[in-house]
DNA sequence: CTGAAAGCGCTTACAG
DNA sequence: CTGAAAGCGCTTACAG
């Protein structure tokens, strides 16, 4: 059982002090280039790996960030978030949390209180008011929530979400669709609220301009059933109507419900989704949707946390992460 | 800046030694019930949280496990895996790794060499031969790979995968379908190989029994395009034919391709998927599929790792994680 | 430019 | 049943 070498072992082998080894590895302190080179080579040859627990204890920095996810999140978001964290020198630890909002919030608070992490990024909705405790601000662990219940709707994700909705409505209106319906996703999610609000605002704005009217906002869950039952709740004379669905799953339900009502797509009804689910491209009709750059969304969220950790100003705008894909469900 | 209390602080406040605090918290050592109670209460009131880095350094146990995932994995698997780990007293750290097999394998080896983890569970394919180095076995970090390139096809997941395929083929054969096609998923994944092999074996077994024949194995990727082009590769006189697709995305492609060939479902052709993707239930026709209990799959995988860490015998069978959902794409 | 020494916060034999 | 002391492996003022 060959115990892993310590910095002390490396120092002895290299004929220098333990401090020199530390300096060589961290790049701190003052060391001649030759000494540094030599130490690094010896460390390499011995397969030396610094004991991170010891380093963490001494520096009082864990170098770890927690990412909180729910069960429904695309793991591509995590990939992106982890990538940015790694580039900034942090390891990420993922905590999948389900249950009620209160439960999730309590868990995040526990995470913050554990002081194991230098920062926490939560990608599931939490009650941000509850997190503004000493432990999570001032002297505590910074928590950045990407999808919160607070009313700070001016977050990057929220603003970005409005764009495709506007484009959907405006483009379809220009093509002659005047009656619109929104089947919203869960209002617990910032994205659900943002898309709903964007829909309402856009329809209102285009009311006089283009004669657009809304038959209402339905749904309130990211499920196919929400889309399907919304179709059944519409009056018989609803068509011709354009349906802006909260996401692809909801849109699939809309297509199903419309077929059950005897409405044909894209003659009586057109529908848009969101997420660019792989299956959508192969449905009949194929689904018009918003391709989301999930890794980039994850990167953006993590950049916000890193920025905050460094005490820098607000996050940059980041790359645009949305791209509309027009397909058969809107007549191409 | 109120520095977090240490065990020493708690000891002083409780009027006991630092060791007593440690004993009270870990449950080790010998301590009177009264003393333990008292210490615990004081610790609680001070908001004491043991410094995990210090504990880890002293015990030489990090209490952390690494879970390696790819970008395509359902995060529900992670939820399940994390749950089991937590119950066993471990924290899990997720590493999303993409790129080639060689790249992924190298990253996993790095993870093992870092000695930060007590065990590693990889849910993406790696070259298991390459991992059988000292660092990852004997004295090193145990690595459990759920989807490997090795030929140990007898893993739990693999065996479990065969069942639904058998049931699909046998049930459809009993309903009068005699010509079968398989559109396989990626052969890089144990599940892809297992389903393909199960298909071949079942068709062979039922050849004489029920007059079943196979028109071949197509595909080789978890994409809709694989399904679609498989349909275009079939001869005109293929129908009536039953298509066993590698998963729901592939099955959606099959439906699309079949429609393009002018074949109607479920008259000329029936198709089965796998994964119970949410959208599948709302497609027209709705998709027959295999509902996979992803959290349970994650739990099973993690149980294998925990079992190995404890040096116990092979894993128990675990709960069945597959359930066939018959829908319109097979005529109900 | 380099080295000796202290100390991060915990656990655990060991002595009482 | 309890406490004093050592030590896990590292980093960092500080003295040379």
């Amino acid at each position: 059982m060959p115990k892993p070498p310590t910095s002390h072992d490396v120092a002895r082998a290299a004929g220098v002090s333990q401090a020199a080894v530390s300096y060589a590895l961290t790049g701190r302190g003052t060391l001649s280039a030759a000494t540094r080179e030599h130490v690094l080579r010896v460390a390499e040859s011995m397969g030396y790996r610094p004991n991170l627990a010891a380093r963490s204890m001494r520096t009082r920095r864990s170098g770890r960030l927690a990412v909180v996810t729910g069960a429904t999140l695309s793991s591509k978001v995590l990939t992106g978030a982890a990538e940015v964290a790694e580039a900034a020198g942090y390891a990420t630890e993922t905590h999948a949390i389900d249950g009620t909002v209160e439960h999730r919030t309590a868990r995040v608070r526990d995470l913050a209180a554990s002081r194991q992490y230098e920062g926490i990024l939560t990608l599931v909705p939490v009650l941000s008011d509850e997190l503004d405790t000493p432990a999570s601000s001032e002297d505590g662990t910074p928590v950045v929530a990407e999808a919160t219940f607070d009313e700070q709707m001016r977050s990057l994700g929220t603003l970005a979400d409005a764009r495709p909705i506007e484009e959907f409505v405006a483009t379809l209106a220009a093509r002659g669709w005047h009656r619109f319906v929104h089947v919203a996703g869960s209002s617990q999610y910032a994205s659900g609220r943002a898309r709903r609000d964007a829909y309402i605002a856009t329809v209102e704005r285009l009311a006089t301009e283009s004669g657009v009217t809304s038959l209402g906002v339905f749904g309130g869950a990211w499920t196919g059933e929400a889309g399907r039952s919304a179709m059944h709740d519409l009056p018989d004379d609803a068509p011709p109507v354009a349906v802006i669905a909260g996401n692809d799953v909801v849109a699939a339900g809309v297509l199903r419900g419309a077929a059950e009502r005897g409405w044909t797509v894209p003659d009586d009804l057109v529908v848009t989704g969101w997420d660019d689910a792989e299956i959508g491209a192969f449905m009949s009709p194929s689904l018009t949707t918003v391709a989301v750059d999930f890794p980039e969304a994850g990167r953006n969220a993590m950049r916000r946390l890193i920025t905050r950790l460094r005490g820098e100003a607000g996050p940059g705008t980041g790359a645009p992460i949305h791209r509309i894909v027009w397909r058969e469900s809107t007549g191409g």
Side-chain angles (χ1 to χ4, degrees), chain A residues 34-256:
Chain A
T35 309
R36 167 160 297 141
E37 275 295 307
H38 175 60
V39 170
L40 254 25
R41 215 177 345 253
V42 171
E44 168 73 29
S45 76
M46 297 175 72
Y48 171 69
R49 295 279 197 143
N51 178 320
L52 266 30
R55 173 180 288 175
S56 161
M57 190 164 66
R58 178 64 231 225
T59 60
R60 301 171 144 285
R61 289 200 46 210
S62 68
R64 299 214 309 281
L65 304 177
V67 179
V68 177
T69 77
T72 59
L73 192 85
S74 164
S75 53
K76 293 183 191 175
V77 178
L78 294 180
T79 316
E83 185 186 301
V84 167
E86 193 176 331
Y90 292 99
T92 55
E93 204 156 308
T94 309
H95 293 261
I97 299 184
D98 283 315
T100 65
V101 168
E102 289 75 17
H103 175 70
R104 295 194 303 258
T105 305
R107 285 287 311 264
V108 170
R109 200 170 23 214
D110 277 353
L111 246 28
S114 79
R115 296 184 180 270
Q116 281 191 76
Y117 305 103
E118 296 187 39
I120 299 175
L121 174 65
T122 170
L123 300 169
V124 296
V126 290
L127 300 163
S128 67
D129 290 349
E130 304 277 321
L131 287 176
D132 283 338
T133 59
S136 65
S137 55
E138 296 162 37
D139 65 309
T141 307
V143 176
V144 163
E146 185 60 11
T148 61
F149 276 112
D150 70 12
E151 290 314 311
Q152 298 176 10
M153 298 294 278
R154 297 191 170 282
S155 78
L156 183 65
T158 303
L159 280 176
D161 267 19
R163 274 289 173 75
I165 297 285
E166 283 172 22
E167 191 175 338
F168 276 145
V169 175
T171 304
L172 292 172
R175 289 189 193 170
W177 296 88
H178 293 306
R179 297 143 73 82
F180 283 78
V181 162
H182 181 47
V183 186
S186 169
S187 63
Q188 288 202 357
Y189 283 75
S191 52
R193 296 191 305 268
R195 291 168 203 176
R196 181 198 59 204
D197 295 349
Y199 168 82
I200 292 171
T202 307
V203 163
E204 205 160 293
R205 180 167 63 75
L206 295 180
T208 50
E209 257 177 66
S210 317
V212 160
T213 61
S214 173
L215 269 44
V217 172
F218 296 78
W222 304 114
T223 63
E225 192 49 40
R228 186 172 160 274
S229 66
M231 290 305 98
H232 284 279
D233 290 345
L234 285 177
D236 287 340
D237 64 354
V241 62
V243 182
I244 308 296
N247 71 5
D248 286 349
V249 174
V250 175
V254 166
L255 283 173
R256 181 84 193 190

Side-chain angles (χ1 to χ4, degrees), chain A residues 168 172 175 177 241-245 247-248 251-252 254-256 258 263-274 280-290 324-332:
Chain A
F168 276 145
L172 292 172
R175 289 189 193 170
W177 296 88
V241 62
V243 182
I244 308 296
N247 71 5
D248 286 349
V254 166
L255 283 173
R256 181 84 193 190
W263 298 334
T264 61
V265 177
D267 298 321
D268 300 326
L269 181 147
V270 290
V271 60
T272 67
W274 196 298
F282 293 90
M283 293 178 72
S284 299
S286 57
L287 205 54
T288 288
T289 190
V290 179
I324 290 185
V325 184
W326 294 98
R327 297 209 191 98
E328 296 163 356
S329 70
T330 51

